[in-house]
Amino acid sequence: MSKVLFWNSQSLKNKIPELSQYVEKHKIDIILIAETWLTDKSKIYIPSFNCYRNDRSHGGVAIFIRKNITHSSIRLISLNYADAIFLTVHGETTFTLGAIYCSPSASREQAKTFFTQVLSITGPCAIAGDFNAKHRSWNSDKNCRKGSDLAKLCDLKSFNIHGPDGPTLIPSRGLPSTVDFVLSKSIVGVTNPKTVNELSSDHFPILFTIPVSSKSPD
């Protein structure tokens, strides 16, 4: 099993030192990031990890994966209100691993279009993201229209929903909410994420595990 961190960083470049320390301390194997706010001129690096990015100055997503985990292939979704990046990971089960971000400014129809694209993946997959959608299925305190649309799509496409054990968004104004969570399909061993009160963002990171084995230590 491999330990996965998902985090909406709200600008990643200046937070690499604290992220690197956290990853080393907690032995994280895969890092999924939303709201990187990177451009093609941004340079970032974490030792022992390969990095794959889908950049956008006020969005963007990235995957860091340890070099000793076998993986291949990249697929991107780039919209002016949402981003996604996917890798194929080869472990106990070969599956698609994804990180996604959907802006809160996306309309209901835009969000539904994006979620439909994301959930069109065939075969086993695990997707973590900031969906900016609320529904009790992933432990939000209420349902919103985008959340209801996504919950129906998950049921239609046979995706499992893994909601965290606490709120993930702690805004400066308003009540905490749960908008970061994990979806999976046809994978045994994906655990429900745990919310972690660490790292500097208004989003708490979440931790979960997936059935991936490394080839050998770095």
Side-chain angles (χ1 to χ4, degrees):
M1 302 294 286
S2 289
K3 189 181 291 187
V4 184
L5 170 76
F6 172 80
W7 181 40
N8 179 320
S9 64
Q10 282 210 323
S11 185
L12 179 61
K13 188 173 181 180
N14 295 330
K15 298 174 183 177
I16 286 293
E18 67 168 312
L19 178 61
S20 298
Q21 290 179 354
Y22 181 89
V23 165
E24 184 62 28
K25 177 182 176 182
H26 295 280
K27 307 300 180 186
I28 306 298
D29 301 295
I30 299 171
I31 312 161
L32 309 176
I33 303 289
E35 284 207 83
T36 58
W37 296 8
L38 298 174
T39 70
D40 56 5
K41 296 180 179 178
S42 304
K43 296 182 180 180
I44 56 173
Y45 171 74
I46 297 178
S48 301
F49 283 82
N50 288 320
C51 177
Y52 303 92
R53 294 159 40 182
N54 188 4
D55 296 338
R56 188 160 60 94
S57 59
H58 282 85
V61 286
I63 297 177
F64 295 83
I65 186 167
R66 286 199 181 271
K67 293 179 179 178
N68 59 1
I69 295 176
T70 305
H71 60 280
S72 62
S73 189
I74 305 172
R75 177 185 167 220
L76 308 176
I77 300 174
S78 299
L79 303 170
N80 61 8
Y81 57 87
D83 316 280
I85 185 169
F86 304 96
L87 297 180
T88 300
V89 179
H90 307 280
E92 298 171 24
T93 300
T94 295
F95 64 93
T96 300
L97 176 68
I100 75 102
Y101 170 70
C102 185
S103 170
S105 65
S107 69
R108 180 182 182 183
E109 287 306 310
Q110 287 174 326
K112 188 173 182 179
T113 296
F114 176 62
F115 296 153
T116 300
Q117 287 184 265
V118 169
L119 271 60
S120 68
I121 295 170
T122 58
C125 59
I127 302 164
D130 177 359
F131 293 81
N132 273 306
K134 300 175 184 179
H135 198 274
R136 292 185 178 89
S137 295
W138 46 86
N139 299 327
S140 292
D141 61 345
K142 61 181 180 180
N143 300 346
C144 71
R145 291 181 177 180
K146 294 178 188 178
S148 295
D149 290 340
L150 178 55
K152 290 177 182 176
L153 277 170
C154 288
D155 185 56
L156 179 66
K157 302 286 188 177
S158 301
F159 273 81
N160 298 306
I161 300 169
H162 307 272
D165 58 352
T168 59
L169 174 59
I170 313 297
S172 57
R173 296 181 181 181
L175 297 174
S177 59
T178 303
V179 294
D180 309 274
F181 50 93
V182 181
L183 303 178
S184 73
K185 182 173 67 172
S186 303
I187 304 176
V188 176
V190 178
T191 61
N192 288 334
K194 302 291 185 182
T195 306
V196 182
N197 187 3
E198 295 189 54
L199 300 176
S200 54
S201 169
D202 63 356
H203 287 252
F204 289 152
I206 56 176
L207 288 173
F208 62 102
T209 60
I210 55 176
V212 176
S213 300
S214 59
K215 294 183 293 185
S216 60
D218 290 333

